[in-house]
């Protein structure tokens, strides 16, 4: 069997975010990057399946972006992926979900992958479109936001999280693509010996120009923090007056006392 | 010149940081106050399984072969969450490295994989005695040849991890008539060997979760094959191996210092006095600036010493400089951090008091600051005379 897991390197959520000069992406100076959280669930699930199926199964990890994404690729290799494809693209952050999905589909189309794993969405752009669009372009069965996964004899059984705490169970024939949600699994820490061994695993570098044929369908017009709201109100004076004022404000501006 | 970590070193740092944050930090305060070491044992096992016990040890002995820089950054990340766990890691790595450097193949295969895999929770480093601290050559524990065996008598103090160490590297006098330091040999003695008694535990100021005990040798009989390295060559081994351990302790101190500064700086952006955040006050800004500057200098000294060791260059002076500066800086950082928190810093509601207690020993153990200065000066003068 052939498995593919697609990962994205995103700014660390603990970073300090500032839009770049053009106002369409982050200013990357001093920004720390790490693997998209949802993609960690995807890698863990793919590795678990790889371990279950054993010999004869090949798990490839793919990422699009500049050289820095190799660190996320190496983490995936250390977690248990067999080999990697690094689609080299300095401008990946400016591409829309259609283009990213098209690039991945172009890479995957003649490789006969049986199952593709992606995160549910990225923590930066958050479109949640890439996984489903890859599936559509490849003609794969697809289900999203999975919190449970099993595979037996060409059939995936996936548990999905629905509104109101309802769980849904779907069955898919391979080839199929699943997008992974928080709660699916607990991603392993890569062991140190595996980090060192990952050095020897193959990372195929492919210039994005070899795979990119599509124009973007959407463009980011603006990328900015929310406007600062006015500061809080500071009430001063006698306690009895303050109580009256607070009650008046609560009645007027909130539903607390209604 | 390239000052960045390699991708592998970054991944090891990330793994250490993620593990420390998720598994160690939430229980560090409780471990500090409790006598129950079960959680520490569980964490040590997990860390062993991840490969943290033999960072600079060859793969054939169960090590990670990740190098000394990776060792340093890993210890720092672990220490940011729990200094007691970090010191256990540092000593375990040191014990693995001394056996790898000096032991014969049989000894290496017998003990290093057990420490690396976590089968042994720890390894012990039995050098210090009540009468031989900064001057270990003055030790009095004796090993007397008896047929094919050696019989050890005497005692050691301040032995890290003694109650749960699977094996001890022990130094003892084998020729009491030899000139000072020339009649000491090194032995590998398994925990539980008859005549090896784990003595009283020290009630320390900090690093509580890490046990520190007396070791007593009461007619402790070991086969001659337990000797590691050559007869009467033990003191040279101790001196050489302590040098590497200094990088570990400096890295640990850096982690504690950073934890203290991070906590205090965050606090200063939340605490309001005189109608404004106290981070607005220059008095606190200078503490932050000085604290972080010294810690960054410590990091660079540690990286330099680690890089030199990893690349086979002399590193005794650099390791001592790094240990001296990092541990003294960490103590100053903790002092400033507590000052920044005011009275709250002195309570157990915040971790600063624990950091302060944990940091204090770092400028004492594995060579006091005064001994580091002596080594640094000796190395400088050696090239002039």
């Amino acid at each position: 069997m052939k498995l593919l897991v697609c990962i994205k390197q995103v700014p660390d959520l603990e970073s300090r975010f500032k839009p770049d000069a053009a106002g369409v992406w982050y200013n990357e100076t001093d920004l720390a990057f790490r693997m998209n959280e949802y993609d960690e669930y995807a890698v863990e699930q793919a590795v678990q399946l790889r371990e279950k199926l054993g010999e004869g199964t090949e798990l490839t990890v793919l990422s699009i972006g500049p050289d820095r994404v190799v660190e996320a690729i190496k983490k995936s290799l250390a977690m248990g992926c067999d080999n990697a494809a690094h689609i080299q693209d300095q401008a990946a952050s400016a591409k829309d979900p259609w283009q990213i999905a098209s690039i991945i589909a172009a890479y995957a189309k003649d490789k006969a992958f049986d199952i593709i794993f992606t995160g549910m969405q990225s923590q930066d752009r958050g479109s949640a479109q890439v996984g489903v669009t890859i599936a559509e372009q490849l003609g794969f069965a697809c289900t999203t936001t999975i919190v449970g996964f099993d595979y037996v004899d060409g059939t995936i059984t996936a548990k999905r999280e629905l509104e109101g705490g309802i769980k849904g169970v779907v069955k898919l024939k391979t080839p199929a693509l699943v997008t992974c949600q928080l709660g699916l699994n607990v991603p392993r820490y890569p062991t140190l010996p595996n980090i060192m061994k990952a050095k020897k695993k193959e990372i195929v570098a492919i210039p994005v120009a070899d795979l990119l044929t599509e124009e973007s369908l959407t463009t980011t017009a603006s990328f900015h923090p929310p406007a600062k709201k006015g500061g809080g109100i500071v009430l001063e004076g006698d306690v009895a007056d303050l109580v009256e004022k607070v009650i008046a404000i609560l009645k007027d501006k909130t539903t607390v006392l209604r | 010149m390239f000052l960045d970590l390699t991708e592998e070193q970054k991944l090891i740092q990330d793994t250490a940081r993620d593990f420390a944050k998720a598994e160690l930090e939430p229980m560090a305060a409780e471990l500090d106050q409790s006598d129950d070491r079960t959680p520490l044992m569980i964490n040590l096992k997990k860390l062993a399984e991840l490969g943290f016990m033999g960072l600079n040890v060859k793969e054939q002995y169960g090590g990670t072969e990740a190098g000394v820089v990776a060792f340093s950054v890993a210890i720092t990340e672990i220490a940011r969450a729990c200094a007691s766990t970090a010191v256990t890691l540092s000593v375990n790595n040191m014990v693995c490295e001394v056996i790898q450097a000096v032991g014969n193949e049989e000894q290496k295969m017998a003990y290093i994989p057990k420490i690396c895999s976590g089968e042994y929770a720890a390894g012990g480093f039995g050098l210090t005695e009540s009468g031989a601290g900064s001057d270990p050559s003055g030790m009095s524990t004796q090993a007397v040849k008896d047929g094919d065996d050696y019989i050890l008598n005497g005692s050691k103090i301040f032995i890290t991890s003694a109650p749960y160490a699977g094996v001890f590297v022990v130094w003892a006098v084998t020729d009491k008539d030899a000139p000072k330091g020339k009649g000491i040999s090194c032995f590998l003695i398994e925990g539980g060997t008859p005549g090896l008694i784990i003595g009283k535990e020290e009630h320390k100021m900090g690093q509580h979760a890490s046990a520190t005990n007396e070791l007593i040798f009461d007619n402790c009989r070991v086969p001659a094959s337990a000797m590691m390295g050559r007869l009467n060559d033990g003191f040279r081994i101790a001196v050489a191996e302590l040098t590497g351990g200094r990088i570990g302790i400096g890295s640990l101190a850096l982690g504690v210092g950073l934890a203290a500064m991070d906590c205090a700086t965050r606090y200063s952006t939340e605490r309001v006095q005189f109608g404004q955040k106290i981070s607005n006050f220059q008095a606190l800004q200078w503490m932050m600036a000085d604290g972080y500057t010294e810690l960054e200098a410590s990091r660079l000294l540690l990286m330099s010493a680690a890089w030199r060791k990893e690349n086979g260059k002399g590193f005794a002076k650099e390791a001592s400089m790094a240990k001296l500066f990092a541990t003294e800086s960490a103590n100053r950082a903790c002092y400033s951090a507590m000052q920044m928190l005011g009275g709250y810093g002195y309570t157990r509601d915040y971790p600063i008091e624990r950091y302060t207690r944990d940091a204090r020993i770092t400028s004492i153990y594995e060579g006091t600051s005064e001994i580091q200065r002596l080594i640094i000066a000796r190395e400088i003068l050696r090239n002039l005379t």
Side-chain angles (χ1 to χ4, degrees):
Chain A
M1 266 187 90
K2 289 185 73 177
L3 311 174
L4 177 69
V5 58
C6 304
I7 63 163
K8 182 177 186 181
Q9 194 190 41
V10 296
D12 190 317
L13 286 184
E14 288 180 12
S15 301
R16 215 174 146 72
F17 300 110
K18 276 185 296 189
D20 63 9
V24 292
W25 178 239
Y26 299 105
N27 179 343
E28 292 195 9
T29 316
D30 298 331
L31 214 54
F33 287 87
R34 60 182 303 150
M35 197 193 304
N36 181 40
E37 182 187 333
Y38 302 101
D39 299 347
E40 293 206 10
Y41 307 131
V43 172
E44 175 62 34
Q45 203 58 51
V47 170
Q48 283 184 18
L49 180 60
R50 163 79 180 79
E51 288 170 344
K52 181 178 153 186
L53 296 173
E55 288 302 306
T57 302
E58 186 186 15
L59 170 58
T60 302
V61 55
L62 174 149
S63 190
I64 306 174
D67 289 346
R68 61 172 159 74
V69 309
V70 171
E71 196 184 332
I73 288 176
K74 285 199 172 173
K75 181 173 184 182
S76 309
L77 292 172
M79 286 171 77
C81 295
D82 297 301
N83 51 50
H86 172 205
I87 318 272
Q88 296 169 307
D89 185 3
Q90 294 300 321
S93 61
K95 292 196 168 54
D96 74 341
W98 172 255
Q99 283 180 302
I100 295 292
S102 301
I103 292 165
I104 296 170
Y107 167 82
K109 72 174 187 309
D110 54 2
K111 296 197 171 52
F113 288 113
D114 296 282
I115 304 174
I116 300 178
F117 296 85
T118 73
M120 174 195 85
Q121 62 180 23
S122 61
Q123 289 171 292
D124 50 9
R125 296 281 192 188
S127 79
Q129 294 176 41
V130 171
V132 289
T133 311
I134 297 168
E136 175 65 18
Q137 293 200 16
L138 292 172
F140 276 32
C142 177
T143 191
T144 57
T145 56
I146 65 165
V147 292
F149 178 92
D150 193 21
Y151 170 82
V152 181
D153 298 336
T155 302
I156 293 168
T157 305
K159 193 191 275 183
R160 301 185 63 230
E161 206 169 49
L162 308 175
E163 289 298 323
I166 304 285
K167 298 279 193 290
V169 175
V170 276
K171 288 186 180 288
L172 300 82
K173 290 270 181 228
T174 58
L177 184 146
V178 293
T179 78
C180 303
Q181 162 73 309
L182 167 78
L184 176 62
N185 53 43
V186 179
R188 69 194 65 194
Y189 298 106
T191 70
L192 274 46
N194 284 343
I195 289 172
M196 301 312 288
K197 281 177 201 145
K199 260 167 114 169
K200 294 178 192 127
K201 292 184 178 175
E202 186 185 28
I203 302 175
V204 178
I206 306 164
V208 70
D210 294 0
L211 298 168
L212 179 66
T213 52
E214 295 292 315
E215 295 288 321
S216 64
L217 300 181
T218 56
T219 51
T220 301
S222 166
F223 192 79
H224 57 82
K228 271 203 170 160
K229 289 184 185 156
I233 307 165
V234 179
L235 302 174
E236 288 179 33
D238 184 63
V239 175
D241 291 343
L242 288 179
V243 170
E244 293 300 322
K245 282 182 190 166
V246 169
I247 289 171
I249 291 169
L250 289 174
K251 273 187 180 158
D252 187 36
K253 308 257 186 202
T254 77
T255 57
V256 173
L257 300 179
R258 280 178 205 165
Chain B
M1 183 160 193
F2 191 64
L3 282 170
D4 209 357
L5 299 175
T6 66
E7 267 148 9
E8 285 72 30
Q9 289 160 352
K10 275 188 214 164
L11 280 173
I12 289 171
Q13 185 181 43
D14 284 350
T15 303
R17 182 180 298 153
D18 291 347
F19 182 88
K21 207 168 174 179
E23 319 268 344
L24 303 177
E25 200 177 289
M27 64 170 68
E30 197 186 321
L31 268 177
D32 176 61
Q33 294 300 320
S34 156
D35 291 333
D36 180 10
R37 291 206 168 88
T38 313
L40 175 76
M41 294 299 125
I42 293 168
N43 287 334
L44 290 177
K45 180 77 181 157
K46 287 183 188 169
L47 284 161
E49 284 165 358
L50 285 172
F52 282 100
M53 296 307 177
L55 278 145
N56 192 37
V57 170
K58 290 196 176 98
E59 204 183 318
Q60 67 198 92
Y61 305 122
T64 302
E65 269 187 58
V68 191
V69 170
F71 164 70
S72 173
V73 297
I75 294 288
T76 297
E77 292 305 327
I78 300 295
R80 283 173 99 134
C82 179
S84 294
T85 307
V87 72
T88 315
L89 249 65
S90 184
V91 174
N92 282 5
N93 274 276
M94 184 166 67
V95 169
C96 285
E97 284 197 47
V98 60
I99 300 173
Q100 177 171 262
V102 189
N104 59 37
E105 198 57 29
E106 204 174 320
Q107 291 167 331
K108 291 182 203 182
M109 289 309 293
Y111 298 115
I112 304 176
K114 287 184 179 162
I115 300 173
C116 287
S117 69
E119 183 180 338
Y120 287 167
F125 198 85
L127 180 67
T128 300
E129 296 185 4
S130 56
S134 289
D135 179 16
S137 64
M139 70 175 59
S140 62
T141 295
Q142 278 199 36
V144 177
K145 192 89 194 277
D146 182 49
D148 287 339
D149 299 336
Y150 278 93
I151 297 172
L152 279 82
N153 277 293
S155 67
K156 301 281 171 185
I157 53 159
F158 302 151
I159 307 306
T160 302
S161 306
Y164 38 88
V167 64
F168 295 87
V169 183
V170 175
W171 281 263
V173 175
T174 37
D175 181 358
K176 62 181 187 332
D177 299 325
K180 207 175 166 201
K182 301 285 184 194
I184 294 170
S185 300
C186 182
F187 295 87
L188 279 167
I189 303 180
E190 291 178 21
T193 301
L196 168 60
I197 299 155
I198 309 299
K200 75 170 173 67
E201 180 172 342
E202 301 296 342
H203 295 288
K204 309 194 297 290
M205 174 179 172
Q207 303 198 357
H208 285 156
S210 157
T212 308
N213 290 60
E214 188 180 11
L215 274 189
I216 300 153
F217 299 93
D218 180 14
N219 286 319
C220 178
R221 181 179 286 271
V222 296
S225 61
M227 186 181 288
M228 187 165 73
R230 293 194 310 274
L231 180 67
N232 297 329
D233 191 35
F235 186 63
R236 189 192 58 78
I237 296 168
V239 169
E241 296 308 319
L242 278 171
T243 308
R246 284 174 188 135
I247 296 174
I249 298 307
S251 307
L252 182 156
L254 171 61
V256 178
L258 285 170
M261 266 294 134
D262 288 351
C263 173
T265 306
R266 210 163 36 243
Y267 177 86
S268 75
T269 63
E270 291 159 4
R271 170 79 168 166
V272 172
Q273 288 287 275
F274 302 102
Q276 54 185 311
K277 289 172 183 168
I278 61 172
S279 58
N280 288 342
F281 300 126
Q282 194 178 46
L284 276 85
Q285 290 175 359
W286 284 31
M287 289 183 201
M288 286 171 216
D290 288 344
Y292 278 112
T293 302
E294 289 191 15
L295 293 169
E296 179 64 8
S298 303
R299 189 183 71 79
L300 292 168
L301 281 168
L302 284 160
M303 289 293 94
S304 164
W307 184 86
R308 291 184 68 86
K309 182 181 173 193
E310 190 166 313
N311 287 277
K313 298 174 188 296
F315 66 99
K317 181 179 71 179
E318 288 77 8
S320 283
M321 285 175 164
K323 201 253 177 195
L324 168 66
F325 195 77
T327 60
E328 299 275 335
S329 297
N331 274 291
R332 283 192 290 269
C334 288
Y335 184 93
S336 295
M338 190 176 287
Q339 206 66 19
M340 287 164 77
L341 265 78
Y344 290 113
Y346 196 66
T347 71
R348 284 185 186 158
D349 294 341
Y350 288 87
I352 302 288
E353 62 87 27
R354 170 165 56 87
Y355 298 149
T356 305
R357 289 184 285 105
D358 286 348
R360 188 61 190 87
I361 187 64
T362 62
S363 59
I364 299 170
Y365 64 13
E366 297 212 25
T368 61
S369 289
E370 292 66 36
I371 290 294
Q372 305 309 327
R373 290 187 175 93
L374 190 146
I375 293 167
I376 295 162
R378 191 180 61 204
E379 292 289 321
I380 293 166
L381 291 169
R382 193 211 300 271
N383 293 328
L384 297 174
T385 50

